[in-house]
């Protein structure tokens, strides 16, 4: 993961403070790839619009995956789209994050049993950071998922994990 | 020529009209709901996360059958005659141990169809919508109040009970058969 | 060696190196982009000669206009970058002889000439005097050039016009 | 300016470098930091939103976070790309937009170069931006980048013509190419500004006013198009070309393009200000003169120049969030069929008026 690969063997106060700063920068400026799939995308647009205002969290849409930090998989992932999602994800520069939004992208949703054309969960092709349940989730639920993701980024570390 | 000048004028004028609108909106107070600090009250019948009140559940499996996406999984074990399961709040007597009541909330599509057939109204949709998770497994909700060991025990108990019952039955049947045998010669003679 | 000398050598080096790349680059896009630096270096030399207006015109016309059009042409041409632009037969020996003679001539001239050395002066603005010269002394040439360009433009427009529009 | 610094530093060469770096650190970088946030805030409030709120008080640290994040991002160079040109392009674009600042008269004491060809120089060095954009678009080996670069170059080259004609109009009135002198001529008090006929007296000035307004409109539109801002942002039209010529750029290289765009925004605003709106001159006379402290005047001038420039940047943002994007043919129609004829007629009429 680029910078995060270079782990320090032991932490000290300088590294701790630096990584706090870097984590803070990463979590407060998550540029989103403007990418929507199905009905959840409508809720995602509503989240970007005036009432919920994604921009408050520093999330702005970027058209190019090269400049995006986060991809919100919003809707039914068909098998055909899955390859494209994988490609888009691979085109994004590290560090990159994924929010899986809605039942369909979490596990196939209503199509989990009989949907011959639906990928049963987007985590089968790309690693998901946060799952937001809902069909579709309310905009607040997506915002809560984003806050959860920010919490996750806040606890990322350059140091080697001592677990 | 006249049209050309008219086009020019309209081009400039319409842009100015548009700019007036946006300028007005610059000073309109914003409508944003600052989510984590301020939350919009939900409508009374909002359908969000499912919840099962296990105290009232009789394990009838009707919700699982109503679910269009099959996200509810219920397993039940019949209670022994000696077990007292109590009654539900609307006075129904419970007769089944619910050993497994899993709802895969990731699959749920919030249609609410499971809530209608429930005879005790123990499964219902709450207004909780903030439950995103880091792991998908965490989205499978186990509502069963029994621990796996307890469930296992209940199952064993029931099997034992059934086995005993079967044994008793078999014994009874054997006894009956034996008695029938002793009685038989007389009967057959009649024929 | 003062600042002006350093800047002079810098610009001279940029000009020569990039001009060398223009001639030698196999990739035509590289050649076109090196031309940019050649023009830039030349305009820098103009500035050092006190010809600020010419320098700016150099940048404006050559970099802003001609080079961009050139790049347009290069990029819109299908697969032009993979074309080998070097000529098939390179006559190295005759070329070396001719260049040698030419260089010897030039160097000889350089050394035999008595250069008029003036003390370096702060460049004064040339725009006004240039404008005056253009519309007084050389007004006829100026106008003729204008007419020539106009004719060229009308010609180009005529050729490019679609016949169906008549 | 040079003298002050030369006395402090004591070495000619170092002084030049210091002078060259001053606008970068005093104006360009802080301006870009503030402008990006301002853009987001202005857009948010125009859409009845709030904009960045959660980083610092009302999100004032948002751009700092953005920059820190962009530094951390992986720098992707796709294997098919032409690495040399790919790496060079953002720098060329940045040089092009930064070189413009050398000739801007921030105040009577602070002009990078007081060259006689100031405004002409600014028009010329913006050619580097075009070359850089073409270079980046071509080196990316991406069809969207190439198309974006082509569009961008065609647009900038086309719109340079009306800009140049309007600048010529202004040069005709003021009789100088030097932006510093031009600003000096439009002395204190706003009725001396070129948009209101310049510093002269008499009927000429009143006759000039409508034509100066036309000149301002043309100049504003064409400079807007030159910096690829909405409604003229077809080179980076999201729905057609992903992100235009910088589709393949990530991390800091993208930040360079971003920075150059905002630097350009200020540069063109500053050109409009110095040509038509009195440059660094205060509209109401100087506090330094009233109080009798001449040392205060340059700072006042800097303040007025920056605030006027920022005002026009605001107008650019305002337009951006008002208008939809033009189509390519509409863009060219606006330039060749409307702006250029109007600019030429304007030039002719202003010429006749000045001759009267």
């Amino acid at each position: 993961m680029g910078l995060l690969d270079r782990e320090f063997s032991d932490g000290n106060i300088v590294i701790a403070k630096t990584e706090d700063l870097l984590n803070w920068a990463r979590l407060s400026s998550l540029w989103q790839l403007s990418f929507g799939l199905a009905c959840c995308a409508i809720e995602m647009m509503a989240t970007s619009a005036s009432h919920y205002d994604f921009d408050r969290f520093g999330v702005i849409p970027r058209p190019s995956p090269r400049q995006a930090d986060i991809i919100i998989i919003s809707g039914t992932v068909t098998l055909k789209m899955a390859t494209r999602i994988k490609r888009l994800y691979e085109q994004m520069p590290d560090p990159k994050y994924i929010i899986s939004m809605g039942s369909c992208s979490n596990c196939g949703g209503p199509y989990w049993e009989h949907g011959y054309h639906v990928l049963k969960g987007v985590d089968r092709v790309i690693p998901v950071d946060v799952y937001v349940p809902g069909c579709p989730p309310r905009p607040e639920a997506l915002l809560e998922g984003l806050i959860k993701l920010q919490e996750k980024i806040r606890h990322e570390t350059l140091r080697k994990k001592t677990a | 020529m006249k049209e050309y000048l008219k086009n020019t004028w309209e081009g400039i004028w319409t842009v100015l009209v548009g700019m007036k609108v946006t300028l007005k909106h610059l000073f309109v107070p914003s409508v944003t709901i600052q989510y984590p600090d301020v939350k919009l009250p939900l409508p009374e019948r909002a359908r969000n996360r499912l919840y099962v009140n296990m105290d009232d559940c009789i394990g009838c499996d009707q919700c699982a059958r109503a679910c269009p996406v099959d996200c509810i999984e219920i397993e039940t074990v019949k209670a022994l005659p000696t077990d007292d399961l109590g009654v539900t709040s609307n006075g129904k007597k419970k007769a089944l141990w619910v050993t497994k009541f899993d709802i895969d909330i990731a699959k749920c599509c919030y249609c609410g169809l499971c809530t209608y057939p429930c005879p005790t109204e123990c499964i219902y949709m709450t207004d909780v919508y903030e439950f995103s998770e880091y792991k998908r497994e965490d989205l499978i909700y186990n509502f069963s109040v029994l621990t796996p060991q307890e469930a296992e025990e209940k199952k064993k108990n029931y099997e034992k009970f059934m086995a005993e019952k079967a044994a008793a039955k078999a014994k009874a049947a054997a006894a009956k058969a034996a008695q029938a045998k002793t009685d038989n010669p007389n009967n057959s003679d009649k024929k | 060696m003062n600042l002006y000398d350093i800047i002079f050598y810098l610009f001279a080096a940029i000009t020569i190196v990039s001009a060398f790349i223009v001639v030698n680059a196999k990739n035509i896009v590289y050649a076109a982009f090196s031309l940019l630096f050649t023009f830039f270096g030349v305009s820098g030399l103009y500035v050092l000669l006190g010809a600020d207006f010419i320098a700016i015109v150099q940048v404006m016309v050559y970099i802003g206009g001609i080079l961009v059009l050139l790049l347009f042409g290069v990029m819109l041409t299908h697969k032009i970058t993979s074309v080998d632009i070097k000529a098939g037969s390179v006559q190295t020996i005759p070329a070396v002889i001719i260049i040698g003679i030419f260089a010897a001539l030039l160097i000889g001239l350089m050394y035999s000439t008595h250069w008029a050395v003036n003390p370096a002066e702060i460049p004064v603005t040339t725009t006004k005097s240039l404008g005056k010269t253009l519309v007084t002394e050389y007004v006829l040439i100026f106008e003729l050039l204008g007419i020539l360009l106009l004719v060229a433009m009308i010609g180009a427009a005529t050729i490019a016009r679609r016949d169906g529009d008549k | 300016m040079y003298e002050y610094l030369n006395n402090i530093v004591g070495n000619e060469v170092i002084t030049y470098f210091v002078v060259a770096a001053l606008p970068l650190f005093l104006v360009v970088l802080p301006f870009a930091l503030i402008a990006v946030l301002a853009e987001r805030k202005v857009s948010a409030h125009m859409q009845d939103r709030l904009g960045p709120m959660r980083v610092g008080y009302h999100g004032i640290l948002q751009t700092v976070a953005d920059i820190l994040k962009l530094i951390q991002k992986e720098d992707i160079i796709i294997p098919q790309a032409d690495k040399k040109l790919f790496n060079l392009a953002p720098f060329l674009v940045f040089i092009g937009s930064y070189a413009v600042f050398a000739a801007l008269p921030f105040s009577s004491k602070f002009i990078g170069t007081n060259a006689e060809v100031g405004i002409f120089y600014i028009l010329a060095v913006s050619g580097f931006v075009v070359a850089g954009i073409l270079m980046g678009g071509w080196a990316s080996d991406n069809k969207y980048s190439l198309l974006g670069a082509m569009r961008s170059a065609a647009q900038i080259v086309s719109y340079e013509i009306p800009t140049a004609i309007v600048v010529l109009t202004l040069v005709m009135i003021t009789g100088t190419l030097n932006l510093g002198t031009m600003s000096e001529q439009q002395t204190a008090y706003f009725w001396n500004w070129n948009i209101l006929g310049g510093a002269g007296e008499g009927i000429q000035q009143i006759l000039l006013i409508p034509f100066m307004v036309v000149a301002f409109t043309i100049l504003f539109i064409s400079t807007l198009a030159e910096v690829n801002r909405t409604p003229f942002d077809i080179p980076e039209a999201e729905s057609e070309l992903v992100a235009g010529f910088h589709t393949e750029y990530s991390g800091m290289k993208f930040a360079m393009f971003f920075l150059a765009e905002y630097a350009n925004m200020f540069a063109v605003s500053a050109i409009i200000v110095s040509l038509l709106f009195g440059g660094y001159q205060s509209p109401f006379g100087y506090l330094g003169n009233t109080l009798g402290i001449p040392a205060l005047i340059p700072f006042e001038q800097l303040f007025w120049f920056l605030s006027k420039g920022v005002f026009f940047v605001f107008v650019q943002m305002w337009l951006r969030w008002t208008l939809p994007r033009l189509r390519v043919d509409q863009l060219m129609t606006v330039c060749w069929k409307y702006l250029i004829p109007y600019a030429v007629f304007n030039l002719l009429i202003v010429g006749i008026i000045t001759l009267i």
Side-chain angles (χ1 to χ4, degrees):
Chain A
M1 275 179 79
L3 184 67
L4 293 180
D5 267 347
R6 268 168 258 140
E7 292 173 330
F8 292 92
S9 53
D10 58 335
N12 59 35
I13 185 77
V14 178
I15 291 169
K17 286 291 149 198
T18 314
E19 78 183 18
D20 279 354
L21 181 72
L22 297 181
N23 288 346
W24 167 80
R26 267 207 316 286
L27 74 89
S28 34
S29 156
L30 288 165
W31 293 357
Q32 163 212 357
L33 184 65
S34 39
F35 173 79
L37 285 170
C39 24
C40 285
I42 305 292
E43 295 294 307
M44 191 179 77
M45 289 173 222
T47 320
S48 293
S50 300
H51 270 80
Y52 297 101
D53 194 9
F54 240 162
D55 202 10
R56 280 187 298 128
F57 298 86
V59 179
I60 49 171
R62 287 302 313 169
S64 165
R66 301 275 186 225
Q67 294 139 23
D69 308 288
I70 173 173
I71 177 168
I72 298 177
I73 312 291
S74 52
T76 318
V77 184
T78 54
L79 293 176
K80 204 172 182 181
M81 202 64 197
T83 53
R84 271 76 163 170
I85 287 175
K86 194 168 166 60
R87 177 183 289 182
L88 280 175
Y89 175 72
E90 280 164 358
Q91 280 177 341
M92 282 160 61
D94 281 320
K96 51 192 170 187
Y97 305 97
I98 296 165
I99 291 182
S100 162
M101 177 186 183
S103 294
C104 294
S105 75
N106 283 348
C107 68
Y111 313 98
W112 74 274
E113 209 170 8
H114 303 299
Y116 63 95
H117 63 301
V118 176
L119 189 74
K120 310 295 185 286
V122 76
D123 48 4
R124 296 191 181 202
V125 285
I126 48 175
V128 174
D129 287 292
V130 173
Y131 295 88
V132 181
C135 189
R138 293 179 62 82
E140 288 103 327
L142 181 59
L143 288 177
E144 194 252 353
L146 187 86
I147 293 169
K148 271 239 167 88
L149 178 65
Q150 289 185 333
E151 279 311 308
K152 187 175 181 176
I153 299 170
R154 202 190 295 281
H155 296 112
E156 275 179 351
T157 176
L158 294 164
R159 277 165 290 178
K160 198 168 271 170
K161 277 142 202 101
T162 51
Chain B
M1 192 63 208
K2 202 176 153 197
E3 208 192 323
Y4 180 81
L5 289 174
K6 208 179 129 209
N7 277 348
T8 317
W9 175 246
E10 269 184 2
I12 295 169
W13 183 248
T14 46
V15 167
L16 289 178
V17 169
M19 286 174 79
K20 196 181 129 202
V21 172
T22 37
L23 189 70
K24 232 185 246 165
H25 275 269
L26 190 59
F27 301 106
V28 168
S30 69
V31 295
T32 306
I33 304 146
Q34 298 209 46
Y35 160 68
D37 312 321
V38 186
K39 286 177 189 174
L40 206 64
L42 288 186
E44 205 179 312
R45 294 173 56 173
R47 300 200 303 259
N48 284 293
R49 182 162 72 175
L50 273 175
Y51 182 73
V52 183
N53 184 6
M54 284 311 284
D55 291 344
D56 277 3
C57 181
I58 56 168
C60 62
D61 203 33
Q62 290 199 49
C63 49
R65 266 177 278 159
C67 183
V69 296
D70 292 347
C71 69
I72 307 176
E73 269 182 53
I74 299 176
E75 276 174 18
T76 49
V77 172
K78 271 191 189 148
L80 305 181
T82 50
D83 290 336
D84 183 26
L85 291 160
V87 287
T88 62
S89 53
N90 58 359
K92 266 205 164 100
K93 198 169 179 317
K94 293 208 266 184
L96 295 166
W97 288 110
V98 182
T99 50
K100 185 178 171 193
F101 198 120
D102 286 0
I103 298 181
D104 189 347
I105 221 83
K107 286 174 192 159
C108 176
C109 67
Y110 306 88
C111 56
L113 287 179
C114 50
T115 60
Y116 300 117
C118 183
T120 58
E121 286 175 8
C122 71
I123 182 164
Y124 50 91
M125 308 212 96
T126 57
D127 56 358
V128 180
Y129 50 81
E130 302 144 300
F131 50 106
S132 51
E133 295 289 350
Y134 297 127
K135 284 195 199 115
R136 199 168 88 187
E137 296 81 63
D138 295 346
L139 282 171
I140 299 172
Y141 287 17
N142 304 314
F143 284 103
S144 175
V145 284
L146 302 175
T147 60
Q149 290 84 9
E150 276 178 327
E152 203 58 34
E153 191 193 314
K154 300 289 177 219
K155 228 179 255 170
K156 272 209 188 98
N157 279 351
Y158 180 66
E159 268 160 26
K160 213 168 110 196
F161 171 72
M162 284 309 277
E164 274 169 14
K165 209 174 164 188
K169 220 179 190 173
K171 219 164 121 192
K176 216 175 182 180
Q179 202 181 6
K181 227 177 190 174
T182 50
D183 291 347
N184 222 9
N186 303 342
N187 286 346
S188 61
D189 284 350
K190 271 179 188 172
K191 278 209 177 149
Chain C
M1 207 169 179
N2 60 16
L3 189 68
Y4 283 100
D5 285 345
I6 297 170
I7 292 173
F8 170 77
Y9 284 115
L10 195 73
F11 278 121
I14 289 175
T15 313
I16 291 170
V17 169
S18 56
F20 188 76
I21 297 171
V22 172
V23 184
N24 274 299
K26 280 215 175 69
N27 188 335
I28 194 166
V29 177
Y30 276 20
F33 279 117
S34 323
L35 202 57
L36 172 104
F37 293 98
T38 317
F39 288 145
F40 175 69
V42 170
S43 74
L45 293 179
Y46 278 137
V47 170
L48 291 180
L49 286 171
D52 51 354
F53 189 77
I54 303 293
I56 297 303
V57 168
Q58 168 90 12
V59 172
M60 195 167 185
V61 172
Y62 282 95
I63 295 180
I66 290 177
L67 190 83
V68 169
L69 287 180
L70 204 80
L71 285 170
F72 253 73
V74 168
M75 287 174 185
L76 285 177
T77 314
H78 182 61
K79 284 190 177 163
I80 200 169
T81 49
S82 56
V83 173
D84 195 10
I85 52 169
K86 270 196 171 172
S89 65
V90 185
Q91 296 180 322
T92 326
I93 300 163
V96 166
I97 294 167
I98 291 169
I99 288 169
I101 294 168
F102 199 66
L105 246 161
L106 275 179
I107 292 165
L109 263 174
M110 253 170 70
Y111 277 99
S112 60
T113 313
H114 291 284
W115 296 101
V117 180
N118 282 339
E121 51 187 85
I122 298 154
V124 282
T125 169
T126 55
T127 320
K128 227 165 212 165
S129 48
L130 206 70
K132 273 205 180 108
T133 326
L134 271 182
V135 291
T136 53
E137 216 168 308
Y138 298 103
V139 69
L140 189 66
I141 299 164
F142 186 67
E143 292 292 326
L144 279 178
L145 278 176
I147 288 167
L148 184 72
L149 286 175
L150 184 70
V151 167
M153 203 166 82
I154 291 170
T158 317
I159 292 167
R161 226 176 95 181
R162 240 180 274 144
D163 284 337
D165 292 354
K166 273 175 196 168
Chain D
M1 191 71 206
Y2 291 115
E3 289 75 41
Y4 292 143
L5 281 168
N6 214 349
N7 286 341
I8 301 166
V9 182
N11 183 328
E12 202 187 358
V13 182
I14 297 173
T15 315
Y16 275 108
F17 281 110
V18 169
V19 170
L22 267 179
L24 181 66
F25 291 107
L26 282 183
V27 183
V28 182
L29 288 179
F31 171 76
L33 283 182
I34 295 163
V36 175
L37 179 68
E39 168 104 60
R40 287 169 80 165
K41 278 288 185 188
V42 166
S43 77
H45 283 283
M46 276 180 180
Q47 297 162 359
D48 297 350
R49 294 189 285 124
L50 284 169
M53 285 296 285
R54 293 178 65 80
V55 189
Y57 177 74
H58 277 246
I60 45 170
L61 293 174
Q62 186 61 51
T63 337
V64 179
D66 284 344
I67 295 284
L68 271 175
K69 180 212 71 179
L70 281 169
I71 292 172
Q72 292 176 68
K73 294 293 275 183
E74 183 187 4
D75 184 22
I76 294 179
I77 302 173
I78 53 171
Q80 295 91 334
D82 196 320
K83 283 191 191 56
K84 284 177 223 150
L85 297 184
F86 188 82
N87 289 333
L88 187 62
F91 294 95
L92 205 60
V93 170
F94 186 69
I95 286 169
S97 51
Y98 175 48
V100 170
F101 282 76
L104 293 181
F106 287 100
S107 80
S108 56
K109 289 278 190 295
F110 183 47
I111 308 176
T113 163
N114 208 2
E116 277 304 313
V117 285
I119 181 68
F120 212 38
Y121 161 83
I122 288 176
L123 291 181
V125 289
S126 49
F128 280 101
V129 179
V130 189
I133 285 173
L134 272 176
M135 191 186 271
W138 186 80
S140 297
D141 193 46
N142 180 321
K143 57 189 167 203
Y144 300 118
S145 300
L146 187 61
L147 280 171
M150 290 287 188
R151 282 185 179 191
S152 178
Q155 178 182 327
I156 294 175
V157 170
S158 306
Y159 276 86
E160 242 169 36
I161 299 166
T163 316
I165 295 173
V166 173
V167 167
L168 204 62
T169 317
L170 269 303
V171 169
M172 226 157 61
I173 296 170
T174 52
T176 176
L177 285 168
N178 186 335
L179 282 176
T181 322
M182 238 180 237
S183 306
E184 205 122 303
Q185 283 172 358
Q186 311 170 45
T187 43
Y189 303 118
F190 58 89
W191 52 82
N192 289 329
W193 291 357
N194 278 339
I195 186 104
L196 295 174
E201 299 275 326
I203 194 85
Q204 237 183 20
Q205 261 52 49
I206 294 155
L207 277 177
L208 272 178
I209 294 174
F211 300 104
M212 286 296 105
V213 173
V214 173
F216 162 68
T217 316
I218 296 169
L219 188 66
F220 186 76
I221 294 172
S222 49
T223 49
L224 199 65
E226 273 199 63
V227 292
N228 295 339
R229 292 281 298 177
T230 326
F232 302 103
D233 68 340
I234 57 152
E236 28 195 291
E238 288 181 20
S239 45
E240 308 157 33
L241 294 180
V242 189
F245 59 89
H246 54 66
T247 300
E248 291 292 342
Y249 283 91
S250 62
M252 272 322 274
K253 287 198 201 106
F254 165 68
M256 297 274 284
F257 279 121
F258 213 57
L259 195 64
E261 187 190 325
Y262 280 89
N264 262 336
M265 271 168 74
F266 183 79
V268 295
S269 306
I271 293 167
I272 293 171
V273 166
S274 13
L275 285 178
L276 284 160
F277 288 88
Y280 51 71
Q281 302 284 3
S282 151
F284 318 111
Y286 291 108
L287 207 66
N289 280 340
T290 331
L291 298 176
I293 318 165
L296 206 62
I297 291 176
F299 294 100
E300 268 184 73
Q301 288 171 335
L302 186 66
F303 166 76
W304 282 113
F305 188 78
L306 291 180
S307 47
K308 282 183 216 169
V310 167
F311 174 74
F312 280 103
V313 170
F314 167 72
V315 176
Q316 286 180 359
M317 290 172 184
W318 180 7
L319 254 179
R320 173 172 182 177
W321 298 105
T322 304
L323 292 180
R325 183 158 46 232
L326 267 71
R327 233 168 35 218
V328 183
D329 61 320
Q330 291 169 335
L331 183 94
M332 288 300 156
T333 310
V334 167
C335 179
W336 292 98
K337 287 195 179 160
Y338 288 88
L339 292 185
I340 292 177
Y342 276 111
V344 171
F345 274 111
N346 205 36
L347 176 76
L348 289 175
I349 294 169
V350 170
I352 291 167
I353 290 172
T354 40
L355 279 180
I356 295 169

